[in-house]
Amino acid sequence: MKKKRTISLVLGSGGARGLAHIGVIHWLEEHGCEIKSISGCSMGALVGGIHAIGKLDEYERWARGITKRDMLALLDVSFGMDGLIKGDRLIDTLRNLVGEERIEDLKISFTAVAANISRRKEVWIRTGPIFDAIKASIALPIFFKPVVVDGEDIIDGGILNPVPIAPTFSDLTDFTIAVNLCAPPVKGAEITAEKHAGEEEGAGVSHAVADFLGTMTDKIVMKRKENRAYDILYKSFDAMQGSIARQKIAAYPPDAVLSIPINLCSMMDFDKAGPIIEHGYDLAARELPGVFAAR
Protein backbone atom coordinates (compact mmCIF):
# COMPACT_ATOMS: atom_id res chain seq x y z
CA MET A 1 0.00 0.00 0.00
CA LYS A 2 1.41 3.39 -1.02
CA LYS A 3 2.26 5.66 1.90
CA LYS A 4 0.09 8.75 2.12
CA ARG A 5 1.67 12.16 1.71
CA THR A 6 1.46 14.09 4.96
CA ILE A 7 0.36 17.71 4.76
CA SER A 8 0.62 20.82 6.88
CA LEU A 9 -2.25 22.96 5.65
CA VAL A 10 -2.26 26.75 6.07
CA LEU A 11 -5.74 28.20 5.57
CA GLY A 12 -5.89 31.95 5.10
CA SER A 13 -8.25 34.77 5.98
CA GLY A 14 -10.68 36.29 3.49
CA GLY A 15 -14.32 35.92 4.44
CA ALA A 16 -16.58 33.93 2.13
CA ARG A 17 -13.67 33.11 -0.16
CA GLY A 18 -12.63 30.78 2.66
CA LEU A 19 -15.29 28.34 1.50
CA ALA A 20 -12.71 27.45 -1.18
CA HIS A 21 -10.74 25.78 1.64
CA ILE A 22 -13.39 23.06 1.64
CA GLY A 23 -12.68 22.22 -2.00
CA VAL A 24 -8.93 22.13 -1.37
CA ILE A 25 -9.38 19.74 1.56
CA HIS A 26 -11.61 17.45 -0.50
CA TRP A 27 -9.05 17.28 -3.32
CA LEU A 28 -6.20 16.49 -0.93
CA GLU A 29 -8.11 13.70 0.77
CA GLU A 30 -9.18 12.21 -2.56
CA HIS A 31 -5.58 12.12 -3.79
CA GLY A 32 -3.65 10.20 -1.20
CA CYS A 33 -2.91 12.99 1.27
CA GLU A 34 -3.24 12.96 5.04
CA ILE A 35 -3.68 16.38 6.66
CA LYS A 36 -1.70 16.17 9.88
CA SER A 37 -1.65 19.83 10.83
CA ILE A 38 -3.81 22.90 10.19
CA SER A 39 -2.95 26.52 10.89
CA GLY A 40 -5.91 28.76 10.18
CA CYS A 41 -6.81 32.41 10.40
CA SER A 42 -10.37 33.78 10.46
CA MET A 43 -12.41 31.78 7.91
CA GLY A 44 -9.41 29.47 7.61
CA ALA A 45 -9.65 28.78 11.34
CA LEU A 46 -13.37 28.09 11.02
CA VAL A 47 -13.11 25.65 8.10
CA GLY A 48 -9.89 24.11 9.40
CA GLY A 49 -11.25 23.68 12.90
CA ILE A 50 -14.43 22.00 11.71
CA HIS A 51 -12.35 19.67 9.52
CA ALA A 52 -10.13 18.85 12.51
CA ILE A 53 -13.27 17.89 14.47
CA GLY A 54 -14.19 15.57 11.60
CA LYS A 55 -17.45 17.28 10.64
CA LEU A 56 -16.57 19.13 7.43
CA ASP A 57 -19.21 17.29 5.40
CA GLU A 58 -21.94 18.37 7.80
CA TYR A 59 -20.75 21.96 7.65
CA GLU A 60 -20.53 21.89 3.86
CA ARG A 61 -24.12 20.68 3.50
CA TRP A 62 -25.24 23.50 5.79
CA ALA A 63 -23.12 26.10 3.98
CA ARG A 64 -24.40 25.08 0.54
CA GLY A 65 -27.95 25.72 1.70
CA ILE A 66 -27.35 29.17 3.18
CA THR A 67 -29.33 32.08 1.75
CA LYS A 68 -29.00 35.77 2.42
CA ARG A 69 -32.07 35.59 4.65
CA ASP A 70 -30.46 32.78 6.67
CA MET A 71 -27.32 34.85 7.13
CA LEU A 72 -29.29 37.81 8.39
CA ALA A 73 -31.02 35.57 10.93
CA LEU A 74 -27.59 34.63 12.31
CA LEU A 75 -26.53 38.23 12.91
CA ASP A 76 -27.17 39.12 16.55
CA VAL A 77 -26.89 42.89 16.56
CA SER A 78 -24.90 44.54 19.31
CA PHE A 79 -25.77 48.08 20.36
CA GLY A 80 -22.36 48.67 21.87
CA MET A 81 -19.60 50.67 20.23
CA ASP A 82 -17.07 47.84 19.87
CA GLY A 83 -18.75 45.90 17.06
CA LEU A 84 -22.06 45.65 15.22
CA ILE A 85 -22.46 41.89 15.64
CA LYS A 86 -21.90 39.90 18.84
CA GLY A 87 -21.29 36.64 16.97
CA ASP A 88 -22.78 34.40 19.66
CA ARG A 89 -25.70 33.23 17.52
CA LEU A 90 -23.46 32.21 14.62
CA ILE A 91 -20.97 30.38 16.84
CA ASP A 92 -23.74 28.64 18.80
CA THR A 93 -25.35 27.53 15.53
CA LEU A 94 -22.09 26.02 14.32
CA ARG A 95 -21.38 24.43 17.69
CA ASN A 96 -24.81 22.77 17.65
CA LEU A 97 -24.27 21.67 14.04
CA VAL A 98 -20.90 19.95 14.41
CA GLY A 99 -20.33 19.60 18.16
CA GLU A 100 -17.62 21.00 20.41
CA GLU A 101 -14.13 19.63 21.02
CA ARG A 102 -11.09 20.81 22.87
CA ILE A 103 -8.18 21.60 20.55
CA GLU A 104 -5.71 19.49 22.52
CA ASP A 105 -7.94 16.41 22.06
CA LEU A 106 -8.07 16.58 18.25
CA LYS A 107 -6.31 14.02 16.08
CA ILE A 108 -5.15 16.79 13.75
CA SER A 109 -2.81 19.41 15.19
CA PHE A 110 -4.69 22.72 15.04
CA THR A 111 -3.75 26.36 15.55
CA ALA A 112 -6.22 29.24 15.33
CA VAL A 113 -4.46 32.54 14.73
CA ALA A 114 -5.95 35.72 16.17
CA ALA A 115 -4.50 39.10 17.12
CA ASN A 116 -4.07 40.94 20.41
CA ILE A 117 -4.72 44.47 19.27
CA SER A 118 -3.44 46.09 22.48
CA ARG A 119 -0.09 44.31 22.34
CA ARG A 120 0.04 44.34 18.53
CA LYS A 121 0.99 40.70 18.29
CA GLU A 122 -0.34 37.42 16.97
CA VAL A 123 -2.10 35.01 19.30
CA TRP A 124 -1.71 31.30 18.53
CA ILE A 125 -4.57 29.41 20.15
CA ARG A 126 -3.71 25.72 20.58
CA THR A 127 -5.72 24.71 23.64
CA GLY A 128 -9.25 25.10 24.92
CA PRO A 129 -12.70 24.80 23.29
CA ILE A 130 -12.28 25.00 19.55
CA PHE A 131 -15.21 27.35 18.95
CA ASP A 132 -13.86 29.82 21.49
CA ALA A 133 -10.68 29.91 19.41
CA ILE A 134 -12.64 30.26 16.16
CA LYS A 135 -14.76 33.09 17.56
CA ALA A 136 -11.61 35.04 18.44
CA SER A 137 -10.01 34.38 15.07
CA ILE A 138 -13.04 35.59 13.05
CA ALA A 139 -13.68 38.77 15.06
CA LEU A 140 -13.42 41.16 12.11
CA PRO A 141 -12.91 44.70 13.43
CA ILE A 142 -15.98 46.98 13.40
CA PHE A 143 -18.23 44.13 12.23
CA PHE A 144 -17.83 41.55 15.05
CA LYS A 145 -17.26 42.36 18.70
CA PRO A 146 -13.76 41.44 19.89
CA VAL A 147 -13.27 38.54 22.28
CA VAL A 148 -11.98 39.77 25.63
CA VAL A 149 -9.31 37.59 27.24
CA ASP A 150 -7.75 38.71 30.53
CA GLY A 151 -9.07 42.19 29.90
CA GLU A 152 -7.51 42.49 26.43
CA ASP A 153 -9.26 42.58 23.04
CA ILE A 154 -8.57 39.64 20.72
CA ILE A 155 -9.65 40.10 17.10
CA ASP A 156 -9.38 38.64 13.60
CA GLY A 157 -5.83 37.42 12.99
CA GLY A 158 -5.97 38.66 9.41
CA ILE A 159 -4.89 42.12 10.49
CA LEU A 160 -1.41 40.75 11.30
CA ASN A 161 -1.06 37.41 9.52
CA PRO A 162 -3.70 36.44 6.93
CA VAL A 163 -1.66 33.39 5.80
CA PRO A 164 -0.29 31.94 9.06
CA ILE A 165 2.59 29.73 7.91
CA ALA A 166 4.81 30.12 10.98
CA PRO A 167 2.78 27.81 13.28
CA THR A 168 3.66 24.90 10.96
CA PHE A 169 7.47 25.34 11.20
CA SER A 170 7.94 22.45 13.65
CA ASP A 171 5.70 20.03 11.74
CA LEU A 172 7.29 16.81 10.50
CA THR A 173 5.21 16.54 7.33
CA ASP A 174 6.02 15.98 3.66
CA PHE A 175 4.51 19.21 2.32
CA THR A 176 3.32 22.57 3.60
CA ILE A 177 0.51 23.95 1.46
CA ALA A 178 -0.85 27.45 1.96
CA VAL A 179 -4.13 28.83 0.64
CA ASN A 180 -4.04 32.60 0.15
CA LEU A 181 -7.52 34.11 -0.13
CA CYS A 182 -6.25 37.61 -0.93
CA ALA A 183 -4.33 37.05 -4.16
CA PRO A 184 -4.39 39.71 -6.91
CA PRO A 185 -7.55 39.88 -9.03
CA VAL A 186 -7.85 37.69 -12.11
CA LYS A 187 -9.97 38.81 -15.05
CA GLY A 188 -13.12 36.73 -15.35
CA ALA A 189 -12.77 35.12 -11.92
CA GLU A 190 -15.89 36.74 -10.51
CA ILE A 191 -18.78 34.44 -9.62
CA THR A 192 -21.51 35.76 -11.88
CA ALA A 193 -25.23 35.05 -12.14
CA GLU A 194 -24.39 32.36 -14.72
CA LYS A 195 -22.07 30.63 -12.26
CA HIS A 196 -24.38 31.00 -9.28
CA ALA A 197 -28.12 30.65 -8.99
CA GLY A 198 -29.03 31.74 -5.46
CA GLU A 199 -32.11 33.17 -3.81
CA GLU A 200 -31.56 36.35 -5.83
CA GLU A 201 -29.19 35.84 -8.72
CA GLY A 202 -26.08 37.97 -8.73
CA ALA A 203 -26.75 39.56 -5.33
CA GLY A 204 -24.49 38.78 -2.40
CA VAL A 205 -24.93 38.58 1.33
CA SER A 206 -22.87 41.75 1.57
CA HIS A 207 -25.70 43.70 -0.06
CA ALA A 208 -28.28 42.15 2.23
CA VAL A 209 -26.15 42.92 5.28
CA ALA A 210 -25.80 46.52 4.11
CA ASP A 211 -29.56 46.80 3.65
CA PHE A 212 -30.10 45.29 7.08
CA LEU A 213 -27.68 47.67 8.71
CA GLY A 214 -29.34 50.54 6.88
CA THR A 215 -32.62 49.78 8.67
CA MET A 216 -30.99 50.26 12.08
CA THR A 217 -30.69 54.06 11.70
CA ASP A 218 -32.41 55.03 14.94
CA LYS A 219 -30.50 52.53 17.06
CA ILE A 220 -26.97 52.58 15.70
CA VAL A 221 -26.99 55.91 13.86
CA MET A 222 -26.62 54.61 10.31
CA LYS A 223 -28.25 55.62 7.02
CA ARG A 224 -28.70 53.70 3.79
CA LYS A 225 -26.58 56.17 1.90
CA GLU A 226 -23.70 55.22 4.20
CA ASN A 227 -23.79 51.57 3.10
CA ARG A 228 -21.02 52.32 0.62
CA ALA A 229 -18.74 52.91 3.61
CA TYR A 230 -19.00 49.22 4.47
CA ASP A 231 -18.07 48.22 0.94
CA ILE A 232 -15.03 50.49 1.21
CA LEU A 233 -14.21 48.97 4.61
CA TYR A 234 -14.31 45.41 3.22
CA LYS A 235 -12.16 46.37 0.24
CA SER A 236 -9.67 48.16 2.46
CA PHE A 237 -9.37 45.12 4.71
CA ASP A 238 -8.89 42.91 1.65
CA ALA A 239 -6.16 45.20 0.31
CA MET A 240 -4.36 45.23 3.65
CA GLN A 241 -4.51 41.46 3.95
CA GLY A 242 -3.28 41.01 0.39
CA SER A 243 -0.21 43.12 1.06
CA ILE A 244 0.64 41.33 4.32
CA ALA A 245 0.04 37.92 2.73
CA ARG A 246 2.58 38.62 -0.02
CA GLN A 247 5.17 39.57 2.59
CA LYS A 248 4.54 36.49 4.74
CA ILE A 249 4.69 34.09 1.78
CA ALA A 250 7.91 35.68 0.54
CA ALA A 251 9.47 35.48 3.99
CA TYR A 252 8.36 31.91 4.77
CA PRO A 253 7.73 30.18 1.42
CA PRO A 254 5.73 26.96 1.75
CA ASP A 255 6.00 24.09 -0.73
CA ALA A 256 2.93 25.33 -2.56
CA VAL A 257 0.65 28.36 -2.52
CA LEU A 258 -2.89 28.12 -3.85
CA SER A 259 -3.96 31.64 -4.75
CA ILE A 260 -7.63 32.58 -4.60
CA PRO A 261 -8.15 35.90 -6.43
CA ILE A 262 -9.56 38.70 -4.37
CA ASN A 263 -12.28 39.34 -6.97
CA LEU A 264 -13.71 35.81 -6.86
CA CYS A 265 -16.48 37.12 -4.61
CA SER A 266 -17.12 39.57 -1.80
CA MET A 267 -15.94 38.78 1.71
CA MET A 268 -19.60 38.36 2.70
CA ASP A 269 -20.93 36.32 -0.24
CA PHE A 270 -21.63 33.24 1.87
CA ASP A 271 -24.69 32.39 -0.21
CA LYS A 272 -22.37 31.42 -3.11
CA ALA A 273 -20.89 28.38 -1.38
CA GLY A 274 -21.23 25.92 -4.28
CA PRO A 275 -19.11 27.69 -6.90
CA ILE A 276 -16.60 28.92 -4.29
CA ILE A 277 -16.01 25.37 -3.03
CA GLU A 278 -15.67 24.15 -6.61
CA HIS A 279 -13.14 26.88 -7.36
CA GLY A 280 -10.96 25.64 -4.50
CA TYR A 281 -11.19 22.04 -5.68
CA ASP A 282 -10.37 22.93 -9.30
CA LEU A 283 -7.44 25.11 -8.25
CA ALA A 284 -5.95 22.29 -6.19
CA ALA A 285 -6.45 19.92 -9.11
CA ARG A 286 -4.52 22.27 -11.42
CA GLU A 287 -1.68 23.23 -9.11
CA LEU A 288 -0.87 20.39 -6.74
CA PRO A 289 -0.14 17.36 -8.99
CA GLY A 290 2.94 19.15 -10.37
CA VAL A 291 4.10 20.05 -6.85
CA PHE A 292 3.83 16.44 -5.69
CA ALA A 293 5.45 15.05 -8.85
CA ALA A 294 8.46 17.33 -8.48
CA ARG A 295 9.52 15.65 -5.25
Side-chain angles (χ1 to χ4, degrees):
M1 183 177 177
K2 187 176 180 181
K3 180 178 177 292
K4 285 190 173 184
R5 303 180 186 91
T6 56
I7 306 294
S8 293
L9 190 57
V10 179
L11 301 179
S13 168
R17 292 188 298 275
L19 292 165
H21 294 323
I22 298 174
V24 172
I25 291 170
H26 284 329
W27 189 92
L28 288 169
E29 293 199 318
E30 290 173 11
H31 291 82
C33 298
E34 181 181 2
I35 299 169
K36 300 286 287 184
S37 167
I38 295 175
S39 173
C41 177
S42 196
M43 191 63 182
L46 192 153
V47 172
I50 291 175
H51 176 67
I53 293 173
K55 295 296 182 70
L56 191 62
D57 288 345
E58 288 85 343
Y59 172 70
E60 180 182 354
R61 284 193 293 272
W62 179 81
R64 284 180 177 271
I66 283 288
T67 65
K68 291 183 290 298
R69 188 173 292 111
D70 295 331
M71 284 300 301
L72 293 178
L74 293 172
L75 301 181
D76 44 356
V77 175
S78 167
F79 299 121
M81 298 301 293
D82 52 356
L84 293 171
I85 307 298
K86 289 185 287 187
D88 294 339
R89 189 178 300 163
L90 173 61
I91 291 297
D92 288 345
T93 297
L94 294 174
R95 186 182 282 117
N96 291 335
L97 178 70
V98 304
E100 178 70 279
E101 297 279 352
R102 293 188 65 85
I103 296 173
E104 57 268 35
D105 295 334
L106 300 173
K107 293 181 180 179
I108 296 175
S109 175
F110 176 73
T111 304
V113 176
N116 183 317
I117 193 61
S118 300
R119 297 179 183 270
R120 302 182 183 183
K121 68 177 186 178
E122 293 178 36
V123 177
W124 295 0
I125 307 174
R126 289 174 156 168
T127 60
I130 195 165
F131 277 105
D132 287 357
I134 290 170
K135 185 177 180 181
S137 188
I138 68 171
L140 181 69
I142 304 297
F143 194 71
F144 283 106
K145 292 184 67 174
V147 173
V148 179
V149 178
D150 296 330
E152 298 185 326
D153 290 334
I154 308 300
I155 63 173
D156 193 312
I159 69 163
L160 294 178
N161 194 351
V163 188
I165 301 166
T168 68
F169 284 173
S170 62
D171 292 348
L172 301 176
T173 53
D174 298 324
F175 294 89
T176 298
I177 297 170
V179 185
N180 176 18
L181 302 181
C182 298
V186 174
K187 186 176 180 180
E190 298 90 343
I191 294 175
T192 63
E194 290 74 27
K195 297 178 184 177
H196 166 70
E199 184 184 15
E200 295 174 21
E201 289 190 348
V205 173
S206 56
H207 298 150
V209 170
D211 287 344
F212 171 72
L213 295 176
T215 67
M216 304 300 293
T217 303
D218 295 336
K219 295 181 179 179
I220 56 178
V221 195
M222 189 176 303
K223 300 176 183 177
R224 281 184 183 274
K225 67 181 180 180
E226 294 172 338
N227 289 342
R228 185 169 177 269
Y230 285 87
D231 186 49
I232 292 172
L233 176 65
Y234 293 140
K235 289 179 179 178
S236 299
F237 197 66
D238 268 343
M240 178 191 72
Q241 289 190 118
S243 178
I244 298 172
R246 288 193 295 273
Q247 296 172 22
K248 294 292 185 180
I249 291 168
Y252 311 115
D255 296 296
V257 178
L258 299 179
S259 297
I260 307 294
I262 207 165
N263 63 325
L264 180 70
C265 65
S266 162
M267 288 179 69
M268 298 300 292
D269 279 344
F270 288 97
D271 62 329
K272 299 179 180 179
I276 299 172
I277 293 169
E278 289 155 18
H279 183 92
Y281 186 96
D282 293 343
L283 180 62
R286 289 196 306 271
E287 299 291 334
L288 293 182
V291 173
F292 294 153
R295 186 180 296 183

